């Protein structure tokens, strides 16, 4: 009777995610000497996992003298829940070593989910092979997880093979397959499968629309969105779908369409939704209405790093460097940490108005203060800043010492600066390096030819012009 009481209340704690109440129950269980009684240890692992207390879950798991299938499925699920998918795959081999247990269908489903989260198709295929060889080879729940895994890894054809083998397809498997096609850019197959889906729900509409937006099929996304509204009215619309549609408007840079979606946001009462507000700030900035973007940003009751980054990048792209830097200082005062995109926008802003010392400081702060590893784009933006401002030797040294192989855009930016600042000696050296990477842009060959011509290197000019002609320029 007492055990049933604890099981019921632990289940409630897991459902409501109330870890403090769960810990009090655990203390009572220990006090009554029931910590190893029947299903209580597994229920405790499940409760702690769902409440985000992974260390507590693992302690209960570790103290069990003998673990069963439910114990292993619970601890693996807890790691997946905590977004520690790599750890899920790391601890799984101990299942046989410690308890001499082969994975059942629940454990296999947890492993597949971990592979999907990591987009690790190689290990996903290994788990799939083990599943086929196991006694659970026909389990439809695992098959649905495999469809989702292959979809997220960008292997929709493998996903379709599994999907077609499912005896009783549920909405999850349908939605995963539709999403896999849509996100891979195979819109016809995605839309065709969607229309034959027996019972469409909000998740399936959302998966198709967001997948089409992700793969750049923006007009199709709007058409499906319109069909969805015809099919079910406004009650069919959720914030995730709206933010996808706002994102599509931003990528298309169609202000009038974006304004119409904004009106719908107001009608549906979603204007205070953080994801939608962030998408609207980004949309208006990309559609060249920075005042509207600033207005929405100012009216947001809550802001996260995406909110601040969207307005900073938008302001920077409109040439308002001082405003972008002021916004960054405001962001620092709120305690929100910037991310890679924030710094990219800030260095870009500095580049276009020649704020060299600010750009250098931001680049160093990104590394030293926030531990962010600069990408090739960060180096290219800093290079552009130094080049535009005439710091050619420093820019050239940056290209030679950065931990990335300089691409065409990086060499071309420096070469253009050499031409602008009339440094033909360095220009020739840079032109030789640029030519060696095999440029693809015809305008790069024009820049090369002009550089060699200015240095009276006629043989190199003809070489550049010949390659330019071969490129079809």
């Amino acid at each position: 009777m007492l055990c049933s009481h604890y099981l019921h209340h632990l289940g409630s704690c897991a459902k409501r995610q109330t870890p403090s109440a769960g810990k009090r129950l655990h203390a009572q269980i220990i006090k009554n000497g029931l910590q190893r009684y029947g299903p209580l240890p597994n229920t405790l692992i499940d409760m702690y996992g769902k409440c985000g207390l992974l260390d507590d879950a693992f302690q209960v798991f570790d103290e069990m003298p003998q673990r069963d299938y439910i114990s292993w499925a619970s601890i693996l699920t807890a790691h997946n829940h905590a977004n520690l998918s790599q750890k899920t795959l790391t601890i799984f081999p101990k299942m046989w070593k410690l308890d001499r247990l082969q994975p059942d269908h629940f454990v296999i489903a947890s492993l597949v989910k971990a592979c999907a989260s990591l987009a690790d198709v190689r290990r996903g295929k290994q788990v799939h092979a083990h599943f086929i060889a196991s006694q659970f080879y026909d389990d439809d729940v695992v098959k649905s997880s495999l469809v989702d895994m292959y979809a997220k890894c960008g292997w929709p054809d493998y996903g379709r093979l599994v999907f077609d083998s499912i005896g009783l397809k549920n909405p999850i498997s349908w939605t995963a397959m539709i999403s896999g096609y849509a996100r891979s850019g195979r819109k016809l197959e995605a839309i065709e499968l969607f229309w034959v889906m027996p019972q469409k729900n909000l998740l399936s509409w959302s998966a198709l629309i967001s997948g089409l937006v992700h793969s750049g099929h923006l007009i199709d996304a709007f058409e499906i969105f319109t069909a969805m509204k015809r099919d079910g009215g406004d009650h069919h619309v959720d914030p995730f779908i709206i933010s996808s549609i706002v994102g599509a408007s931003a990528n298309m840079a169609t202000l009038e369409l974006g304004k119409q979606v904004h009106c719908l946001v107001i009608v549906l009462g979603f204007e205070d939704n953080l994801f939608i507000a962030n998408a609207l700030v980004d949309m208006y900035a990309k559609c060249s209405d920075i005042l509207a973007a600033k207005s929405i940003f100012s009216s947001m009751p809550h802001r996260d790093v995406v909110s601040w980054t969207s307005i900073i990048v938008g302001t920077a792209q409109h040439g308002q460097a001082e405003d972008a830097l002021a916004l960054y200082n405001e962001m620092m005062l709120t305690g929100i940490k910037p991310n890679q995109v924030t710094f990219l926008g800030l260095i870009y802003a500095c580049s276009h108005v020649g704020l060299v010392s600010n750009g250098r400081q931001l680049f160093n702060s990104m590394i030293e203060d926030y531990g962010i590893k600069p990408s090739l784009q960060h180096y290219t933006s800093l290079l552009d800043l130094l080049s535009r401002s005439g710091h050619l030797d420093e820019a050239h040294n940056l290209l030679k010492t950065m931990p990335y192989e300089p691409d065409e855009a990086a060499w071309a930016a420096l070469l253009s600066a050499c031409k602008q600042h009339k440094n033909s000696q360095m220009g020739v050296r840079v032109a030789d390096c640029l030519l060696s990477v095999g440029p693809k842009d015809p305008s790069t060959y024009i820049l090369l030819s002009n550089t060699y011509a200015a240095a009276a290197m006629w043989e190199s000019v003809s070489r550049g012009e010949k390659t330019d002609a071969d490129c079809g320029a």
Side-chain angles (χ1 to χ4, degrees):
M1 191 71 179
L2 190 58
C3 181
S4 299
H5 167 81
Y6 286 133
L7 288 171
H8 172 74
H9 285 288
L10 286 171
S12 296
C13 292
K15 187 176 181 180
R16 296 173 185 169
Q17 295 190 350
T18 52
S20 55
K23 283 199 166 198
R24 286 195 298 270
L25 287 167
H26 190 182
Q28 292 175 25
I29 289 168
I30 294 171
K31 186 178 178 180
N32 290 313
L34 297 172
Q35 64 268 33
R36 293 182 181 176
Y37 181 78
L40 281 174
N42 289 338
T43 308
L44 282 165
I45 295 169
D46 180 66
M47 181 275 293
Y48 280 130
K50 287 176 179 173
C51 289
L53 299 177
L54 194 58
D55 289 341
D56 296 272
F58 208 83
Q59 184 177 347
V60 175
F61 178 82
D62 216 30
E63 290 174 353
M64 294 175 70
Q66 179 70 37
R67 290 155 290 270
D68 58 16
Y69 288 108
I70 297 173
S71 317
W72 280 98
S74 297
I75 198 65
L76 294 174
T77 300
H79 281 83
N80 283 340
H81 186 77
N83 293 317
L84 294 171
S85 303
Q86 186 64 55
K87 190 75 182 290
T88 301
L89 298 176
T90 302
I91 64 175
F92 159 68
K94 296 177 182 177
M95 184 174 179
W96 172 256
K97 185 183 291 187
L98 295 176
D99 296 311
R100 289 291 186 264
L101 293 173
Q102 290 288 354
D104 66 356
H105 49 306
F106 293 113
V107 169
I108 293 170
S110 295
L111 297 174
V112 172
K113 185 175 181 180
C115 294
S117 180
L118 296 167
D120 189 340
V121 74
R122 183 184 65 82
R123 282 195 281 189
K125 283 183 174 181
Q126 291 174 358
V127 176
H128 188 181
H130 187 95
F131 167 65
I132 292 171
S134 75
Q135 63 185 22
F136 309 102
Y137 66 93
D138 213 23
D139 186 88
D140 284 345
V141 174
V142 176
K143 287 183 180 180
S144 292
S145 298
L146 284 165
V147 173
D148 181 62
M149 184 273 292
Y150 283 122
K152 286 177 178 172
C153 292
W155 291 58
D157 289 332
Y158 278 68
R160 186 58 188 262
L161 288 171
V162 180
F163 177 79
D164 288 340
S165 74
I166 297 175
L168 187 62
K169 299 176 178 67
N170 60 24
I172 295 173
S173 54
W174 280 94
T175 300
M177 193 65 249
I178 291 164
S179 177
Y181 276 140
R183 294 180 73 83
S184 299
R186 292 163 64 168
K187 67 170 187 177
L188 295 178
E189 287 145 304
I191 293 170
E192 180 184 356
L193 189 63
F194 177 78
W195 289 125
V196 299
M197 183 178 178
Q199 288 183 312
K200 301 169 188 62
N201 56 24
L202 189 59
L203 195 60
S204 55
W205 285 102
S206 181
L208 179 58
I209 291 169
S210 62
L212 291 170
V213 172
H214 175 82
S215 60
H217 293 103
L218 307 176
I219 299 295
D220 298 280
F222 271 102
E223 288 176 353
I224 296 296
F225 176 70
T226 304
M228 182 192 71
K229 284 182 59 54
R230 278 200 309 265
D231 179 73
D234 291 342
H235 69 275
H236 239 357
V237 182
D238 76 339
F240 185 75
I241 291 177
I242 291 292
S243 62
S244 295
I245 290 299
V246 174
S249 303
N251 293 336
M252 293 169 69
T254 49
L255 183 58
E256 288 307 311
L257 192 55
K259 284 181 175 179
Q260 291 175 30
V261 178
H262 189 182
C263 288
L264 181 62
V265 168
I266 295 169
V267 168
L268 296 174
F270 288 150
E271 60 263 50
D272 287 340
N273 181 277
L274 181 62
F275 299 110
I276 291 177
N278 286 343
L280 285 169
V281 170
D282 182 59
M283 183 273 293
Y284 277 117
K286 286 179 178 174
C287 292
S288 300
D289 193 343
I290 193 63
L291 291 177
K294 287 181 176 180
S295 174
I296 291 168
F297 177 80
S298 299
S299 65
M300 290 174 68
H302 304 288
R303 300 176 187 134
D304 61 4
V305 65
V306 177
S307 321
W308 285 98
T309 297
S310 296
I311 195 63
I312 287 169
V313 171
T315 304
Q317 289 174 340
H318 284 79
Q320 300 173 13
E322 298 289 351
D323 286 353
L325 292 171
L327 284 164
Y328 174 67
N329 290 332
E330 279 186 55
M331 178 183 174
M332 293 298 94
L333 293 174
T334 66
I336 294 175
K337 292 183 178 180
N339 60 21
Q340 281 192 325
V341 183
T342 315
F343 283 108
L344 195 59
L346 289 165
I347 297 169
Y348 174 90
C350 294
S351 173
H352 283 71
V353 291
L355 298 174
V356 179
S357 60
N358 295 76
R360 282 199 202 101
Q361 182 184 351
L362 287 162
F363 188 86
N364 292 331
S365 175
M366 173 176 65
I367 301 168
E368 296 166 8
D369 298 332
Y370 297 101
I372 297 173
K373 181 184 176 184
S375 66
L376 178 59
Q377 284 181 296
H378 290 101
Y379 279 102
T380 303
S381 289
L382 181 60
L383 171 78
D384 188 53
L385 167 62
L386 296 170
S387 301
R388 284 172 181 260
S389 306
H391 295 75
L392 300 182
D393 289 328
E394 188 179 349
H396 193 210
N397 186 57
L398 180 70
L399 264 187
K400 292 189 294 183
T401 58
M402 68 182 189
Y404 299 96
E405 194 69 33
D407 60 4
E408 178 181 346
W411 285 116
L414 182 55
L415 182 56
S416 180
C418 290
K419 181 184 175 187
Q420 179 188 345
H421 295 284
K422 297 181 172 56
N423 189 331
S424 58
Q425 187 176 5
M426 181 183 288
V428 169
R429 293 202 308 272
V430 173
D432 289 342
C433 293
L434 176 54
L435 197 60
S436 70
V437 302
K440 301 291 189 293
D441 189 342
S443 65
T444 300
Y445 285 101
I446 296 171
L447 182 61
L448 283 165
S449 295
N450 290 340
T451 301
Y452 288 130
M457 298 174 67
W458 305 111
E459 185 180 339
S460 296
V461 171
S462 61
R463 183 161 46 122
E465 288 178 345
K466 180 182 182 302
T467 315
D468 192 16
D470 291 343
C471 287

